[in-house]
Amino acid sequence: LGNVTTTLLDYGVKNILIEKPGSLYVEELEKIRRVEKDKCGKIYIAYNRRFYESVRFLKKILLEGESITSVRFEFTEWIHRMDLEKINFDVQQNWITANSSHVLDTVFFLAGYPKQETCYSYQSCPLSWHSSGSIFFGCGKTTQNIPFTYHSDWNSAGRWGIEVFTNEGKYILCPLEKLQFQKKGSIALQPVEIDDVLDQEYKPGLYRMVNEFLNEEKSSHCSLNDQINNLGFIKRIAGYK
């Protein structure tokens, strides 16, 4: 991706939407950024979960006044279903960057980027293909002063999920394509009705992501600068050196 992107910039292509994560390594993203600046280009990372109707609906609620009080998330991977023979070894070793970062990026999009955190990675059942760990847990605070916690155990049950706590109750994205609400003072989970026709007709999030990119509406996209900052946190949460 890095070589292709810099080549396109050299050939005069100004606006580029790169498949996530852009690169596994911060150093390569920084190299792309230097070329982007030199060629007056604009690079964005294709995190389609930002454009799920469930996430867009929740973002709208938050922009209209509900205040996030805290966030909890999980990025457990179903490693029993992975076909490692089809995945490059470097990608395997950086699987949180290559794949789980979808969840982390969505959290950043909703609640702000981490400004302080304590991260732990633990290897209870050693994975030869992901040597940094298989259990990940920690906490921190975002740039919006929102506290967050996370826990993911790849050795056990679980899935991707985000819980956003507000002054009105708790919003649940699990799976990320769906949105549920638990009102403060109640234990009942209520599905939130969303217009997800586009997510059903196309790959979820893809239509709006590409449409906004082509129509110069970039406010919801992850910029190259954002992703460089993201990878610093992702590396810490994953225990990558």
Side-chain angles (χ1 to χ4, degrees):
L1 288 173
N3 290 335
V4 172
T5 303
T6 53
T7 299
L8 288 170
L9 288 166
D10 286 337
Y11 272 89
V13 180
K14 297 297 185 183
N15 294 292
I16 304 175
L17 182 62
I18 315 177
E19 170 61 10
K20 65 90 183 72
S23 174
L24 298 174
Y25 310 107
V26 172
E27 297 78 13
E28 185 172 30
L29 289 181
E30 290 175 339
K31 177 183 177 181
I32 297 172
R33 181 166 62 179
R34 289 193 292 270
V35 181
E36 175 194 39
K37 182 178 180 180
D38 182 60
K39 300 296 182 179
C40 298
K42 294 181 180 180
I43 309 298
Y44 301 91
I45 311 299
Y47 278 114
N48 64 306
R49 268 67 177 180
R50 290 183 176 215
F51 298 88
Y52 280 6
E53 291 302 332
S54 55
V55 175
R56 284 166 48 83
F57 191 93
L58 178 53
K59 183 76 170 180
K60 182 174 182 290
I61 290 173
L62 299 174
L63 289 174
E64 289 177 349
E66 277 197 47
S67 301
I68 301 180
T69 55
S70 62
V71 175
R72 180 168 62 210
F73 63 93
E74 176 186 358
F75 53 92
T76 295
E77 296 282 351
W78 290 2
I79 61 176
H80 60 286
R81 295 181 60 177
M82 293 176 62
D83 188 351
L84 296 177
E85 293 183 358
K86 296 182 179 180
I87 303 173
N88 175 279
F89 185 70
D90 286 344
V91 175
Q92 294 178 25
Q93 289 290 328
N94 292 274
W95 193 243
I96 292 179
T97 302
N99 198 57
S100 314
S101 61
H102 267 304
V103 181
L104 280 68
D105 177 76
T106 305
V107 173
F108 303 157
F109 179 61
L110 292 170
Y113 295 96
K115 69 175 183 179
Q116 63 185 61
E117 73 281 330
T118 302
C119 306
Y120 299 94
S121 58
Y122 179 65
Q123 191 79 285
S124 65
C125 299
L127 301 177
S128 60
W129 60 273
H130 194 261
S131 56
S132 74
S134 57
I135 300 175
F136 311 91
F137 55 99
C139 60
K141 186 179 291 186
T142 75
T143 51
Q144 297 180 20
N145 289 318
I146 296 170
F148 66 84
T149 61
Y150 65 90
H151 178 272
S152 298
D153 187 344
W154 295 5
N155 307 302
S156 187
R159 65 184 306 172
W160 290 0
I162 301 171
E163 297 180 355
V164 176
F165 298 80
T166 77
N167 52 316
E168 297 293 333
K170 178 171 65 174
Y171 292 93
I172 302 170
L173 293 160
C174 188
L176 299 185
E177 295 91 336
K178 303 296 182 181
L179 181 63
Q180 297 182 88
F181 179 66
Q182 184 179 46
K183 188 175 181 179
K184 183 166 60 177
S186 172
I187 61 173
L189 294 178
Q190 301 293 335
V192 178
E193 291 188 11
I194 56 176
D195 182 5
D196 60 353
V197 173
L198 291 174
D199 282 354
Q200 294 184 40
E201 187 172 351
Y202 302 91
K203 178 179 179 179
L206 182 64
Y207 184 96
R208 288 199 181 277
M209 180 180 69
V210 175
N211 185 63
E212 290 191 17
F213 176 78
L214 294 176
N215 286 285
E216 300 294 325
E217 299 173 14
K218 307 297 200 309
S219 61
S220 294
H221 280 273
C222 177
S223 71
L224 183 57
N225 282 335
D226 290 338
Q227 183 66 345
I228 290 172
N229 293 330
N230 287 355
L231 283 197
F233 174 67
I234 291 169
K235 284 169 66 70
R236 292 190 293 276
I237 202 173
Y240 299 151
K241 296 181 179 179

